[in-house]
Amino acid sequence: MSTTPPVLAAELAQAWADIQRYHPELPDLAAPESLIGESSSACGAELSFERLLHEAVHGIAAARGVRDTSRAGRYHNRRFLAIAEEMGLDHSEEPHASSGFSLVFLNPEAKRRYRPTIERLQRALKAHTAATAADTKRSFRGPAARHGSSGGGVRVKAVCDCGRNVRVVPSVLAQAPIVCGGCMKPFRIPEVATAAAS
């Protein structure tokens, strides 16, 4: 099995399509590559099927016009939790003070329903991690990696031709194009003219 980011992105896209079979209102995943190597303190520390289903909850909320988070997307409210429960995710505790109901987990029925998808994605993630671990052992990843944070780096605004924008770590964008679902053009980081250039 190849472990390049485009192949892992294809596995993520297939897993997303598997979720769409049960939840047809879920919009297409425009940029699976953006999930590779990323983490979010609000949405879980590592990429997994559970994390993907969490992101699908946000997709359903957006499709329904439901505001499921606040505090710049960090706090996941009860509307998020209601959709999460529809999709097979549970939350065992009271809401976290800063992230709300973000820490959700698969219920037994969802584990059974998605077992083949989960196993396929776990194999792809394991192979990808093994392949990329050798590449990063000798490279400097900056202070984020040393202090146990996401290690994803600073996110910058990337734009597409129709004017939509996303925040992305430049190294993730460099791995493979991230395509806008609206205009089907790749997102790009705008050239910034620096006045201090000599």
Side-chain angles (χ1 to χ4, degrees), residues 98-119:
S98 62
S99 61
F101 294 101
S102 68
L103 300 176
V104 289
F105 56 90
L106 287 167
N107 68 28
E109 181 184 339
K111 284 181 185 177
R112 283 190 299 276
R113 174 187 300 157
Y114 293 113
R115 174 167 287 147
T117 303
I118 293 167
E119 290 172 355

Side-chain angles (χ1 to χ4, degrees), residues 58 61-62 64-73 75-80 83:
H58 292 303
R64 293 178 182 174
V66 171
R67 186 170 178 211
D68 64 338
T69 63
S70 59
R71 300 180 198 166
Y75 191 87
H76 294 59
N77 60 34
R78 290 192 184 277
R79 291 181 292 273
F80 170 85
I83 297 170

